[in-house]
Amino acid sequence: MLGISDIEKVDVFNACKKVNVHEFIMSLPNQYNTIIKEEGCNFSAGEKQKISLARVLIRNPKIILLDEVTRSIDKKSKAEIKESIHSLKDEKTIIIVDHEFCEVSSDFNIVKL
């Protein structure tokens, strides 16, 4: 699963819960066995972003690089992603590249380049 040989289903569920996408997945007819169409065309932009973030968390990296993580998504998804990022900031090094950095950065150490 995801190119990781020793991944457990509970790790997948926990990552999805942490980024607020578990309930959405459970509402799908085939839940976690749902086929994702090419480029995720059967999901909204916010759902795709949250699933992508969950996939990152499953790998448990020390550093997370996010590029335009809240771009082109609805307000609810944006708030959920911001909440997820904020919950990770004490346990991970998070680098965010964003043209509207104020959207995500309210209590991060900010470095403008």
Side-chain angles (χ1 to χ4, degrees):
M1 186 181 295
L2 297 174
I4 305 171
S5 59
D6 61 345
I7 192 166
E8 300 288 332
K9 285 184 180 183
V10 68
D11 296 326
V12 175
F13 298 154
N14 289 338
C16 289
K17 287 176 183 176
K18 196 163 208 168
V19 298
N20 298 305
V21 75
H22 176 75
E23 287 182 31
F24 163 72
I25 293 171
M26 294 305 290
S27 74
L28 298 170
N30 295 316
Q31 299 175 338
Y32 280 86
N33 294 316
T34 298
I35 302 295
I36 299 174
K37 295 180 181 177
E38 188 172 334
E39 296 184 24
C41 67
N42 51 331
F43 299 145
S44 72
E47 292 157 350
K48 288 190 281 189
Q49 287 289 66
K50 288 185 269 186
I51 290 169
S52 295
L53 189 53
R55 291 180 71 165
V56 168
L57 295 182
I58 290 166
R59 292 182 175 275
N60 196 25
K62 293 179 183 179
I63 300 171
I64 299 173
L65 174 62
L66 302 171
D67 184 17
E68 301 285 352
V69 70
T70 58
R71 187 172 149 245
S72 302
I73 59 174
D74 62 86
K75 286 185 179 185
K76 182 179 182 235
S77 292
K78 193 175 284 194
E80 290 173 346
I81 288 172
K82 285 170 52 176
E83 179 183 316
S84 299
I85 293 169
H86 285 275
S87 74
L88 296 170
K89 72 181 181 69
D90 292 331
E91 52 187 273
K92 306 283 183 194
T93 298
I94 302 172
I95 300 169
I96 300 170
V97 179
D98 199 311
H99 287 92
E100 297 177 16
F101 194 68
C102 60
E103 289 286 325
V104 181
S105 67
S106 61
D107 61 345
F108 281 81
N109 294 327
I110 300 173
V111 177
K112 291 187 177 184
L113 301 175

